[in-house]
Amino acid sequence: MRCTYRLGNLLLLCLAAVSTVQASDKPVMPGTVFKDCKDCPEMVVLPAGSYVMGTPDDELGRQPDEGPQHTVTFAKPFAISRFQVTAGELDAYIKATGVVIKSGDERPGRWCEASKPTYKQEPRQPAVCVDYYEVQAYTRWLSEKTGQTYRMLSEAEREYGARAGSTGPFPFPFDKEGEYQISKHANTYGPKDGFSYSSPVGSYPANAFGVYDMHGNVYEWVADCRHNHYQGAPTDGSPWIDDEQCEVAQIRGNDWGEPPIFSRSGNRNASLKRNRGDWIGFRVAREL
């Protein structure tokens, strides 16, 4: 299926259903989908271009940390995982390396046991219960396994991928005019959408970039340290890490139990890097 979207004044075409290519084909065309190995995440190429990061003052639900708006420019394409990294993909990593994912989260009913939540989890549900440093370790393993450069997404890349050329709170319409509901497009706020916990990745339509589940399901770690504003933020899409030892990192995307207003493309949140929970997962980036 063919779709169109705009980045600035440039009209681009994307392919929402494209064939998967082999890594040796050097995927660089926007919309190209590929995998570098059998157990690697499925990746999609995002185009070079510019967008306005942050939200306007009049956007419903806007928080002070979502501004000031500023233009971010990506000089070249890059790839991100089409889906949140799945439980099955994380299990393959654990089996291959023997790594032990720590347990934690003392909240009643929310315990994480070695990467597994208390709710029943299938292989195509998003991996959860991992902290920031365990995500970093996973990206290093992917890099070593494939000979390619995998890493955590920056906050700017994550918002770029979520917006997919759109400028409003979401790249899709509300379920009904006048109601702030997005259950036709995202897994948020309990079982109204049919899922009491996380949904299998890809349960909702992809956006114009061919990326899934950028709004809801589970929060996602990004590489950046926590900042309460965008004053001085990088404009080249790189992660904002002014202190390598920072203890709090940005997270993006919202989860299955929170109201949809926290799923907006520009919404921001943060967490201690050592935190883990059944509500937070991740996706990865790959340099081209």
Side-chain angles (χ1 to χ4, degrees):
M1 180 178 67
R2 193 175 233 179
C3 59
T4 62
Y5 52 89
R6 289 187 179 275
L7 294 177
N9 295 321
L10 180 64
L11 180 65
L12 299 170
L13 295 177
C14 73
L15 296 177
V18 295
S19 59
T20 300
V21 302
Q22 298 299 314
S24 59
D25 293 336
K26 297 182 179 180
V28 294
M29 291 298 295
T32 300
V33 175
F34 67 95
K35 291 182 68 168
D36 282 322
C37 70
K38 176 177 178 288
D39 295 318
C40 292
E42 192 172 89
M43 309 296 290
V44 61
V45 178
L46 270 56
S50 298
Y51 83 109
V52 177
M53 186 176 186
T55 57
D57 292 342
D58 61 353
E59 183 170 298
L60 184 64
R62 182 189 188 273
Q63 300 296 311
D65 65 351
E66 297 172 25
Q69 289 185 290
H70 57 289
T71 299
V72 174
T73 299
F74 297 95
K76 60 180 183 178
F78 62 97
I80 71 171
S81 43
R82 295 182 81 195
F83 310 103
Q84 292 155 337
V85 172
T86 68
E89 289 161 349
L90 185 67
D91 286 345
Y93 159 65
I94 293 170
K95 182 178 180 179
T97 63
V99 67
V100 177
I101 305 296
K102 295 178 182 178
S103 301
D105 197 340
E106 299 288 347
R107 294 175 299 164
R110 307 300 291 272
W111 180 253
C112 286
E113 182 67 32
S115 87
K116 297 303 177 186
T118 55
Y119 57 81
K120 183 179 179 181
Q121 186 190 58
E122 300 295 336
R124 290 292 291 173
Q125 285 176 268
V128 292
C129 295
V130 290
D131 70 17
Y132 180 100
Y133 302 103
E134 290 162 343
V135 174
Q136 284 187 321
Y138 176 77
T139 63
R140 289 194 295 268
W141 174 73
L142 283 177
S143 298
E144 293 168 1
K145 181 178 178 65
T146 65
Q148 304 295 335
T149 302
Y150 281 85
R151 54 176 174 75
M152 297 178 72
L153 270 71
S154 71
E155 189 177 16
E157 289 171 335
R158 178 60 173 67
E159 184 169 326
Y160 182 60
R163 290 191 178 281
S166 65
T167 58
F170 303 102
F172 46 73
F174 290 112
D175 292 352
K176 293 182 180 180
E177 186 175 352
E179 294 184 10
Y180 208 107
Q181 295 291 336
I182 59 172
S183 59
K184 293 181 180 179
H185 293 88
N187 178 17
T188 62
Y189 217 12
K192 177 179 174 60
D193 49 28
F195 299 100
S196 296
Y197 300 104
S198 69
S199 56
V201 298
S203 294
Y204 300 88
N207 65 23
F209 279 170
V211 186
Y212 294 81
D213 304 312
M214 297 295 271
H215 310 268
N217 211 17
V218 296
Y219 269 105
E220 298 171 19
W221 290 106
V222 291
D224 307 54
C225 294
R226 170 61 167 157
H227 292 87
N228 294 321
H229 52 73
Y230 285 135
Q231 294 285 358
T235 58
D236 62 356
S238 60
W240 193 2
I241 305 176
D242 44 17
D243 177 9
E244 292 286 350
Q245 304 304 314
C246 66
E247 296 182 353
V248 182
Q250 296 290 156
I251 60 176
R252 285 293 192 119
N254 202 9
D255 65 53
W256 40 265
E258 295 295 326
I261 201 165
F262 299 125
S263 299
R264 292 173 297 108
S265 297
N267 187 73
R268 307 175 76 203
N269 209 327
S271 179
L272 288 167
K273 289 181 175 179
R274 290 294 185 189
N275 280 352
R276 67 186 68 249
D278 60 4
W279 52 275
I280 186 166
F282 65 102
R283 67 180 78 218
V284 297
R286 201 267 239 181
E287 296 181 9
L288 302 175

